[in-house]
């Protein structure tokens, strides 16, 4: 896998060219993040906002020349009322998949969750978790914004390996399992890497973690290469190594034997333990998925300039990384 990739050859290329350094990486990603959060709040699975967001994403991909389509997935879940009654519900989610063919069928997949939290109980609603006003700026307009800039920047780049961008809705409702089940055996075999982008803003630093079953040579050429690019650009980034057990939401592809690179911002220590952030007035975990704090206004107030800085950092690392992976240098 990645047979044409040679780590030493990649390192010899340098972190990125002067052209990249001169560009304002992340500016377009920030614009897209803010647009999605502001214009499509409450994009819960099966909601009108989710469908409008899917239409917007598909329009972006198509105007850049990607082959793009929408895919529906019907999911069932249980809702718990305040009196303890549990009722069955179902929703139909809409994901967007965009692709550019390379010289060979092997592909690199960039994936980000597209929907916001769907309340699963009366308690969720009382605690303001999810709902129509949740902008989901961090979770996960941030991943979508960075994905869109990567797609725009890579729209005309010659490709050896194919690229696929997946804005997946219904992640908490097993949409990843559905996506994987729809992949033909040959497509699974040809998927060299899944790069998952989620929650890129609020955490104190970016973390690049490999799947537990990702072969070590691939981890070095993806996770370790990302960290090398970050160091060269003086960006704070870290890894927990093969940390899928600490990130249960990314287990699907790993269990299927598909190499995985998870990219997210978090307040972890090097052992993966959650740390309380010191630059806001309360622990970050206390407002997870709440409309009151996963919003542009909250992040801009308590973490000024964080959105701008983190979108820049994400693109400055991921753009050269994907360019190199999609066009590996022949082994000497």
């Amino acid at each position: 896998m990645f047979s044409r990739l040679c780590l030493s050859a990649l390192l010899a290329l340098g972190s990125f060219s002067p052209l990249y350094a001169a560009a304002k990486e992340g500016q377009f990603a920030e614009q897209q993040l803010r647009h999605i959060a502001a214009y499509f709040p409450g994009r819960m699975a099966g909601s009108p906002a989710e469908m409008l967001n899917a239409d917007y994403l598909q329009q972006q991909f198509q105007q850049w020349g990607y082959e793009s389509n929408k895919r529906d997935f019907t999911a069932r879940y249980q809702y718990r009322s305040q009196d303890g009654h549990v009722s069955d519900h179902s929703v139909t989610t809409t994901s967007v998949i965009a692709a550019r063919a390379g010289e060979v069928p092997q592909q690199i997949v960039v994936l980000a969750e597209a929907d916001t939290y769907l309340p699963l109980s009366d308690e969720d609603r009382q605690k303001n978790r999810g709902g129509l006003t949740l902008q989901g700026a961090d979770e996960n307009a941030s991943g979508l914004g960075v994905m869109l800039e990567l797609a725009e920047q890579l729209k005309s780049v010659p490709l050896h390996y194919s690229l696929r961008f997946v804005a997946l809705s219904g992640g908490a409702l097993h949409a990843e399992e559905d996506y994987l089940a729809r992949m033909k055996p040959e497509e699974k075999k040809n998927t060299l890497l899944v790069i998952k982008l989620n929650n890129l803003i609020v955490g104190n630093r970016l973390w690049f973690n490999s799947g537990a079953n990702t072969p070590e040579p691939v981890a070095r050429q993806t996770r370790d290469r990302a960290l090398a690019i970050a160091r060269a650009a003086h960006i704070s980034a870290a890894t927990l190594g093969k940390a899928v057990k600490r990130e249960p939401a990314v287990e699907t592809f790993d269990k299927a034997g598909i190499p995985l690179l998870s990219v997210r911002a978090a307040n972890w220590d090097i052992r993966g333990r959650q740390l309380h952030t010191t630059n806001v007035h309360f622990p970050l975990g206390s407002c997870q998925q709440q409309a009151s704090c996963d919003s542009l206004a909250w992040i801009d107030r308590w973490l000024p300039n964080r959105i701008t800085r983190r979108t820049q950092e994400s693109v400055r690392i991921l753009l050269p990384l994907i360019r190199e992976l999609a066009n590996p240098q022949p082994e000497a």
Side-chain angles (χ1 to χ4, degrees), residues 298-332:
W298 187 93
I299 296 173
D300 286 339
R301 177 183 180 185
W302 296 109
L303 302 170
N305 201 46
R306 176 65 66 85
I307 293 177
T308 299
R309 179 165 62 86
R310 192 52 57 70
T311 50
Q312 288 177 350
E313 292 174 344
S314 299
V315 174
R316 289 180 71 188
I317 296 170
L318 290 167
L319 181 58
L321 176 68
I322 295 173
R323 281 179 179 264
E324 293 176 358
L325 294 176
N327 290 289
Q329 299 299 302
E331 295 185 16

mmCIF file of all heavy atoms in Angstrom, residues 298-332:
data_model
loop_
_atom_site.group_PDB
_atom_site.id
_atom_site.type_symbol
_atom_site.label_atom_id
_atom_site.label_comp_id
_atom_site.label_asym_id
_atom_site.label_seq_id
_atom_site.Cartn_x
_atom_site.Cartn_y
_atom_site.Cartn_z
ATOM 1 N N TRP A 298 -19.674 32.785 20.305
ATOM 2 C CA TRP A 298 -18.999 32.286 21.513
ATOM 3 C C TRP A 298 -17.509 32.094 21.251
ATOM 4 O O TRP A 298 -16.658 32.515 22.052
ATOM 5 C CB TRP A 298 -19.643 30.975 21.952
ATOM 6 C CG TRP A 298 -19.149 30.459 23.281
ATOM 7 C CD1 TRP A 298 -19.697 30.680 24.495
ATOM 8 C CD2 TRP A 298 -17.988 29.648 23.509
ATOM 9 N NE1 TRP A 298 -18.967 30.049 25.481
ATOM 10 C CE2 TRP A 298 -17.897 29.414 24.896
ATOM 11 C CE3 TRP A 298 -17.014 29.101 22.676
ATOM 12 C CZ2 TRP A 298 -16.894 28.653 25.465
ATOM 13 C CZ3 TRP A 298 -16.002 28.336 23.236
ATOM 14 C CH2 TRP A 298 -15.943 28.116 24.615
ATOM 15 N N ILE A 299 -17.170 31.444 20.158
ATOM 16 C CA ILE A 299 -15.758 31.181 19.869
ATOM 17 C C ILE A 299 -14.999 32.483 19.644
ATOM 18 O O ILE A 299 -13.890 32.664 20.154
ATOM 19 C CB ILE A 299 -15.627 30.246 18.657
ATOM 20 C CG1 ILE A 299 -16.238 28.876 18.966
ATOM 21 C CG2 ILE A 299 -14.158 30.072 18.266
ATOM 22 C CD1 ILE A 299 -16.316 27.939 17.775
ATOM 23 N N ASP A 300 -15.601 33.412 18.915
ATOM 24 C CA ASP A 300 -14.924 34.692 18.662
ATOM 25 C C ASP A 300 -14.735 35.492 19.943
ATOM 26 O O ASP A 300 -13.750 36.230 20.086
ATOM 27 C CB ASP A 300 -15.712 35.521 17.645
ATOM 28 C CG ASP A 300 -15.588 34.990 16.224
ATOM 29 O OD1 ASP A 300 -14.615 34.259 15.945
ATOM 30 O OD2 ASP A 300 -16.457 35.305 15.400
ATOM 31 N N ARG A 301 -15.652 35.342 20.897
ATOM 32 C CA ARG A 301 -15.528 36.087 22.146
ATOM 33 C C ARG A 301 -14.472 35.488 23.067
ATOM 34 O O ARG A 301 -13.603 36.192 23.575
ATOM 35 C CB ARG A 301 -16.880 36.120 22.865
ATOM 36 C CG ARG A 301 -16.801 36.834 24.212
ATOM 37 C CD ARG A 301 -18.127 36.805 24.951
ATOM 38 N NE ARG A 301 -18.005 37.491 26.244
ATOM 39 C CZ ARG A 301 -18.979 37.544 27.149
ATOM 40 N NH1 ARG A 301 -20.163 36.959 26.898
ATOM 41 N NH2 ARG A 301 -18.794 38.173 28.292
ATOM 42 N N TRP A 302 -14.564 34.173 23.299
ATOM 43 C CA TRP A 302 -13.704 33.536 24.285
ATOM 44 C C TRP A 302 -12.384 33.036 23.711
ATOM 45 O O TRP A 302 -11.408 32.868 24.464
ATOM 46 C CB TRP A 302 -14.439 32.387 24.960
ATOM 47 C CG TRP A 302 -15.631 32.839 25.738
ATOM 48 C CD1 TRP A 302 -16.947 32.641 25.434
ATOM 49 C CD2 TRP A 302 -15.629 33.602 26.942
ATOM 50 N NE1 TRP A 302 -17.756 33.222 26.366
ATOM 51 C CE2 TRP A 302 -16.971 33.822 27.315
ATOM 52 C CE3 TRP A 302 -14.605 34.133 27.750
ATOM 53 C CZ2 TRP A 302 -17.329 34.539 28.455
ATOM 54 C CZ3 TRP A 302 -14.964 34.839 28.890
ATOM 55 C CH2 TRP A 302 -16.305 35.041 29.230
ATOM 56 N N LEU A 303 -12.328 32.828 22.418
ATOM 57 C CA LEU A 303 -11.105 32.365 21.757
ATOM 58 C C LEU A 303 -10.836 33.263 20.553
ATOM 59 O O LEU A 303 -10.892 32.818 19.411
ATOM 60 C CB LEU A 303 -11.243 30.898 21.321
ATOM 61 C CG LEU A 303 -11.543 29.884 22.419
ATOM 62 C CD1 LEU A 303 -11.894 28.537 21.805
ATOM 63 C CD2 LEU A 303 -10.365 29.746 23.373
ATOM 64 N N PRO A 304 -10.549 34.536 20.781
ATOM 65 C CA PRO A 304 -10.395 35.471 19.668
ATOM 66 C C PRO A 304 -9.289 35.044 18.715
ATOM 67 O O PRO A 304 -8.223 34.593 19.127
ATOM 68 C CB PRO A 304 -10.060 36.802 20.358
ATOM 69 C CG PRO A 304 -9.611 36.440 21.737
ATOM 70 C CD PRO A 304 -10.330 35.177 22.087
ATOM 71 N N ASN A 305 -9.599 35.132 17.431
ATOM 72 C CA ASN A 305 -8.689 34.792 16.349
ATOM 73 C C ASN A 305 -8.441 33.294 16.211
ATOM 74 O O ASN A 305 -7.673 32.865 15.347
ATOM 75 C CB ASN A 305 -7.334 35.517 16.497
ATOM 76 C CG ASN A 305 -6.577 35.605 15.183
ATOM 77 O OD1 ASN A 305 -7.159 35.945 14.152
ATOM 78 N ND2 ASN A 305 -5.289 35.299 15.201
ATOM 79 N N ARG A 306 -9.093 32.468 17.033
ATOM 80 C CA ARG A 306 -8.857 31.029 16.980
ATOM 81 C C ARG A 306 -9.337 30.440 15.648
ATOM 82 O O ARG A 306 -8.668 29.576 15.076
ATOM 83 C CB ARG A 306 -9.555 30.331 18.136
ATOM 84 C CG ARG A 306 -9.444 28.783 18.117
ATOM 85 C CD ARG A 306 -8.006 28.312 18.310
ATOM 86 N NE ARG A 306 -7.501 28.636 19.611
ATOM 87 C CZ ARG A 306 -7.683 27.898 20.716
ATOM 88 N NH1 ARG A 306 -8.369 26.769 20.647
ATOM 89 N NH2 ARG A 306 -7.164 28.272 21.866
ATOM 90 N N ILE A 307 -10.488 30.875 15.162
ATOM 91 C CA ILE A 307 -11.003 30.332 13.910
ATOM 92 C C ILE A 307 -10.046 30.627 12.766
ATOM 93 O O ILE A 307 -9.710 29.747 11.970
ATOM 94 C CB ILE A 307 -12.412 30.873 13.609
ATOM 95 C CG1 ILE A 307 -13.415 30.342 14.642
ATOM 96 C CG2 ILE A 307 -12.850 30.492 12.195
ATOM 97 C CD1 ILE A 307 -14.831 30.886 14.479
ATOM 98 N N THR A 308 -9.575 31.868 12.693
ATOM 99 C CA THR A 308 -8.633 32.248 11.631
ATOM 100 C C THR A 308 -7.347 31.438 11.733
ATOM 101 O O THR A 308 -6.862 30.877 10.743
ATOM 102 C CB THR A 308 -8.298 33.745 11.729
ATOM 103 O OG1 THR A 308 -9.499 34.505 11.557
ATOM 104 C CG2 THR A 308 -7.288 34.144 10.658
ATOM 105 N N ARG A 309 -6.789 31.356 12.925
ATOM 106 C CA ARG A 309 -5.507 30.665 13.095
ATOM 107 C C ARG A 309 -5.622 29.173 12.815
ATOM 108 O O ARG A 309 -4.787 28.588 12.123
ATOM 109 C CB ARG A 309 -4.983 30.891 14.519
ATOM 110 C CG ARG A 309 -3.664 30.181 14.806
ATOM 111 C CD ARG A 309 -3.013 30.712 16.062
ATOM 112 N NE ARG A 309 -3.817 30.504 17.232
ATOM 113 C CZ ARG A 309 -3.818 29.385 17.965
ATOM 114 N NH1 ARG A 309 -3.063 28.359 17.608
ATOM 115 N NH2 ARG A 309 -4.565 29.289 19.042
ATOM 116 N N ARG A 310 -6.694 28.548 13.319
ATOM 117 C CA ARG A 310 -6.797 27.102 13.182
ATOM 118 C C ARG A 310 -7.131 26.672 11.760
ATOM 119 O O ARG A 310 -6.652 25.627 11.290
ATOM 120 C CB ARG A 310 -7.819 26.570 14.175
ATOM 121 C CG ARG A 310 -7.828 25.061 14.359
ATOM 122 C CD ARG A 310 -6.462 24.472 14.672
ATOM 123 N NE ARG A 310 -5.805 25.001 15.834
ATOM 124 C CZ ARG A 310 -6.167 24.804 17.096
ATOM 125 N NH1 ARG A 310 -7.227 24.083 17.372
ATOM 126 N NH2 ARG A 310 -5.472 25.325 18.088
ATOM 127 N N THR A 311 -7.935 27.446 11.047
ATOM 128 C CA THR A 311 -8.194 27.097 9.641
ATOM 129 C C THR A 311 -6.909 27.244 8.826
ATOM 130 O O THR A 311 -6.623 26.421 7.951
ATOM 131 C CB THR A 311 -9.318 27.955 9.042
ATOM 132 O OG1 THR A 311 -9.076 29.340 9.310
ATOM 133 C CG2 THR A 311 -10.676 27.561 9.600
ATOM 134 N N GLN A 312 -6.118 28.276 9.122
ATOM 135 C CA GLN A 312 -4.829 28.437 8.440
ATOM 136 C C GLN A 312 -3.915 27.251 8.732
ATOM 137 O O GLN A 312 -3.298 26.682 7.816
ATOM 138 C CB GLN A 312 -4.157 29.736 8.888
ATOM 139 C CG GLN A 312 -4.796 30.999 8.353
ATOM 140 C CD GLN A 312 -4.139 32.253 8.886
ATOM 141 O OE1 GLN A 312 -3.314 32.195 9.813
ATOM 142 N NE2 GLN A 312 -4.490 33.392 8.325
ATOM 143 N N GLU A 313 -3.815 26.875 10.001
ATOM 144 C CA GLU A 313 -2.936 25.768 10.374
ATOM 145 C C GLU A 313 -3.361 24.467 9.700
ATOM 146 O O GLU A 313 -2.524 23.712 9.183
ATOM 147 C CB GLU A 313 -2.942 25.598 11.896
ATOM 148 C CG GLU A 313 -2.287 26.735 12.643
ATOM 149 C CD GLU A 313 -2.435 26.601 14.157
ATOM 150 O OE1 GLU A 313 -3.289 25.805 14.611
ATOM 151 O OE2 GLU A 313 -1.700 27.294 14.885
ATOM 152 N N SER A 314 -4.655 24.208 9.709
ATOM 153 C CA SER A 314 -5.156 22.958 9.130
ATOM 154 C C SER A 314 -4.825 22.864 7.649
ATOM 155 O O SER A 314 -4.343 21.830 7.168
ATOM 156 C CB SER A 314 -6.674 22.852 9.341
ATOM 157 O OG SER A 314 -7.003 22.846 10.715
ATOM 158 N N VAL A 315 -5.070 23.943 6.924
ATOM 159 C CA VAL A 315 -4.814 23.923 5.480
ATOM 160 C C VAL A 315 -3.315 23.894 5.194
ATOM 161 O O VAL A 315 -2.860 23.192 4.273
ATOM 162 C CB VAL A 315 -5.480 25.132 4.800
ATOM 163 C CG1 VAL A 315 -5.100 25.202 3.319
ATOM 164 C CG2 VAL A 315 -7.001 25.040 4.941
ATOM 165 N N ARG A 316 -2.515 24.611 5.974
ATOM 166 C CA ARG A 316 -1.070 24.640 5.736
ATOM 167 C C ARG A 316 -0.428 23.272 5.939
ATOM 168 O O ARG A 316 0.607 22.976 5.346
ATOM 169 C CB ARG A 316 -0.414 25.669 6.660
ATOM 170 C CG ARG A 316 -0.729 27.112 6.296
ATOM 171 C CD ARG A 316 -0.049 28.078 7.240
ATOM 172 N NE ARG A 316 1.393 28.112 7.019
ATOM 173 C CZ ARG A 316 2.250 28.747 7.806
ATOM 174 N NH1 ARG A 316 1.801 29.364 8.894
ATOM 175 N NH2 ARG A 316 3.526 28.756 7.538
ATOM 176 N N ILE A 317 -1.046 22.453 6.765
ATOM 177 C CA ILE A 317 -0.532 21.091 6.952
ATOM 178 C C ILE A 317 -1.130 20.125 5.930
ATOM 179 O O ILE A 317 -0.413 19.364 5.275
ATOM 180 C CB ILE A 317 -0.838 20.594 8.382
ATOM 181 C CG1 ILE A 317 -0.109 21.447 9.420
ATOM 182 C CG2 ILE A 317 -0.438 19.121 8.529
ATOM 183 C CD1 ILE A 317 -0.540 21.184 10.851
ATOM 184 N N LEU A 318 -2.443 20.163 5.773
ATOM 185 C CA LEU A 318 -3.120 19.135 4.984
ATOM 186 C C LEU A 318 -2.951 19.311 3.484
ATOM 187 O O LEU A 318 -2.893 18.314 2.747
ATOM 188 C CB LEU A 318 -4.609 19.117 5.345
ATOM 189 C CG LEU A 318 -4.914 18.580 6.740
ATOM 190 C CD1 LEU A 318 -6.349 18.897 7.134
ATOM 191 C CD2 LEU A 318 -4.673 17.078 6.801
ATOM 192 N N LEU A 319 -2.874 20.543 3.011
ATOM 193 C CA LEU A 319 -2.757 20.735 1.557
ATOM 194 C C LEU A 319 -1.463 20.140 1.008
ATOM 195 O O LEU A 319 -1.505 19.340 0.055
ATOM 196 C CB LEU A 319 -2.887 22.214 1.206
ATOM 197 C CG LEU A 319 -2.802 22.549 -0.283
ATOM 198 C CD1 LEU A 319 -3.870 21.804 -1.073
ATOM 199 C CD2 LEU A 319 -2.933 24.052 -0.497
ATOM 200 N N PRO A 320 -0.298 20.482 1.549
ATOM 201 C CA PRO A 320 0.915 19.840 1.028
ATOM 202 C C PRO A 320 0.944 18.346 1.277
ATOM 203 O O PRO A 320 1.476 17.584 0.467
ATOM 204 C CB PRO A 320 2.049 20.564 1.752
ATOM 205 C CG PRO A 320 1.429 21.174 2.953
ATOM 206 C CD PRO A 320 0.020 21.508 2.566
ATOM 207 N N LEU A 321 0.374 17.900 2.407
ATOM 208 C CA LEU A 321 0.346 16.470 2.687
ATOM 209 C C LEU A 321 -0.433 15.720 1.601
ATOM 210 O O LEU A 321 0.052 14.711 1.059
ATOM 211 C CB LEU A 321 -0.286 16.212 4.055
ATOM 212 C CG LEU A 321 -0.460 14.735 4.433
ATOM 213 C CD1 LEU A 321 0.895 14.083 4.659
ATOM 214 C CD2 LEU A 321 -1.353 14.593 5.663
ATOM 215 N N ILE A 322 -1.628 16.202 1.275
ATOM 216 C CA ILE A 322 -2.451 15.513 0.286
ATOM 217 C C ILE A 322 -1.841 15.616 -1.101
ATOM 218 O O ILE A 322 -1.893 14.658 -1.891
ATOM 219 C CB ILE A 322 -3.891 16.056 0.314
ATOM 220 C CG1 ILE A 322 -4.538 15.728 1.667
ATOM 221 C CG2 ILE A 322 -4.722 15.463 -0.829
ATOM 222 C CD1 ILE A 322 -5.906 16.357 1.872
ATOM 223 N N ARG A 323 -1.233 16.747 -1.419
ATOM 224 C CA ARG A 323 -0.542 16.870 -2.708
ATOM 225 C C ARG A 323 0.526 15.786 -2.843
ATOM 226 O O ARG A 323 0.662 15.155 -3.884
ATOM 227 C CB ARG A 323 0.103 18.254 -2.836
ATOM 228 C CG ARG A 323 -0.851 19.376 -3.209
ATOM 229 C CD ARG A 323 -0.089 20.690 -3.266
ATOM 230 N NE ARG A 323 -0.917 21.802 -3.645
ATOM 231 C CZ ARG A 323 -1.038 22.283 -4.877
ATOM 232 N NH1 ARG A 323 -0.377 21.709 -5.859
ATOM 233 N NH2 ARG A 323 -1.807 23.316 -5.138
ATOM 234 N N GLU A 324 1.278 15.594 -1.798
ATOM 235 C CA GLU A 324 2.360 14.595 -1.842
ATOM 236 C C GLU A 324 1.806 13.184 -1.923
ATOM 237 O O GLU A 324 2.309 12.350 -2.690
ATOM 238 C CB GLU A 324 3.242 14.744 -0.596
ATOM 239 C CG GLU A 324 4.031 16.039 -0.543
ATOM 240 C CD GLU A 324 4.806 16.182 0.757
ATOM 241 O OE1 GLU A 324 4.691 15.286 1.621
ATOM 242 O OE2 GLU A 324 5.513 17.190 0.915
ATOM 243 N N LEU A 325 0.766 12.903 -1.132
ATOM 244 C CA LEU A 325 0.216 11.564 -1.124
ATOM 245 C C LEU A 325 -0.457 11.222 -2.444
ATOM 246 O O LEU A 325 -0.404 10.081 -2.905
ATOM 247 C CB LEU A 325 -0.802 11.427 0.020
ATOM 248 C CG LEU A 325 -0.245 11.533 1.447
ATOM 249 C CD1 LEU A 325 -1.384 11.465 2.453
ATOM 250 C CD2 LEU A 325 0.782 10.445 1.718
ATOM 251 N N ALA A 326 -1.110 12.204 -3.059
ATOM 252 C CA ALA A 326 -1.809 11.949 -4.315
ATOM 253 C C ALA A 326 -0.843 11.838 -5.502
ATOM 254 O O ALA A 326 -1.209 11.286 -6.537
ATOM 255 C CB ALA A 326 -2.825 13.058 -4.577
ATOM 256 N N ASN A 327 0.363 12.362 -5.343
ATOM 257 C CA ASN A 327 1.356 12.321 -6.405
ATOM 258 C C ASN A 327 2.712 11.892 -5.829
ATOM 259 O O ASN A 327 3.647 12.684 -5.731
ATOM 260 C CB ASN A 327 1.495 13.695 -7.083
ATOM 261 C CG ASN A 327 0.266 14.043 -7.892
ATOM 262 O OD1 ASN A 327 0.007 13.461 -8.922
ATOM 263 N ND2 ASN A 327 -0.521 14.991 -7.385
ATOM 264 N N PRO A 328 2.806 10.625 -5.415
ATOM 265 C CA PRO A 328 4.045 10.165 -4.761
ATOM 266 C C PRO A 328 5.211 10.154 -5.726
ATOM 267 O O PRO A 328 5.051 9.949 -6.944
ATOM 268 C CB PRO A 328 3.680 8.746 -4.317
ATOM 269 C CG PRO A 328 2.608 8.318 -5.260
ATOM 270 C CD PRO A 328 1.813 9.552 -5.556
ATOM 271 N N GLN A 329 6.383 10.382 -5.160
ATOM 272 C CA GLN A 329 7.618 10.324 -5.960
ATOM 273 C C GLN A 329 8.040 8.883 -6.130
ATOM 274 O O GLN A 329 7.955 8.071 -5.198
ATOM 275 C CB GLN A 329 8.723 11.122 -5.259
ATOM 276 C CG GLN A 329 8.389 12.584 -5.083
ATOM 277 C CD GLN A 329 8.179 13.281 -6.405
ATOM 278 O OE1 GLN A 329 9.067 13.298 -7.242
ATOM 279 N NE2 GLN A 329 6.989 13.848 -6.609
ATOM 280 N N PRO A 330 8.484 8.494 -7.335
ATOM 281 C CA PRO A 330 8.972 7.122 -7.515
ATOM 282 C C PRO A 330 10.158 6.838 -6.624
ATOM 283 O O PRO A 330 10.961 7.736 -6.348
ATOM 284 C CB PRO A 330 9.346 7.055 -8.983
ATOM 285 C CG PRO A 330 9.124 8.392 -9.563
ATOM 286 C CD PRO A 330 8.613 9.314 -8.498
ATOM 287 N N GLU A 331 10.220 5.632 -6.137
ATOM 288 C CA GLU A 331 11.357 5.241 -5.305
ATOM 289 C C GLU A 331 12.627 5.262 -6.122
ATOM 290 O O GLU A 331 12.650 4.908 -7.300
ATOM 291 C CB GLU A 331 11.140 3.838 -4.735
ATOM 292 C CG GLU A 331 9.956 3.769 -3.775
ATOM 293 C CD GLU A 331 9.830 2.411 -3.133
ATOM 294 O OE1 GLU A 331 10.827 1.651 -3.214
ATOM 295 O OE2 GLU A 331 8.776 2.116 -2.568
ATOM 296 N N ALA A 332 13.696 5.720 -5.459
ATOM 297 C CA ALA A 332 14.983 5.818 -6.161
ATOM 298 C C ALA A 332 15.530 4.429 -6.466
ATOM 299 O O ALA A 332 15.325 3.486 -5.717
ATOM 300 C CB ALA A 332 15.954 6.591 -5.292
#
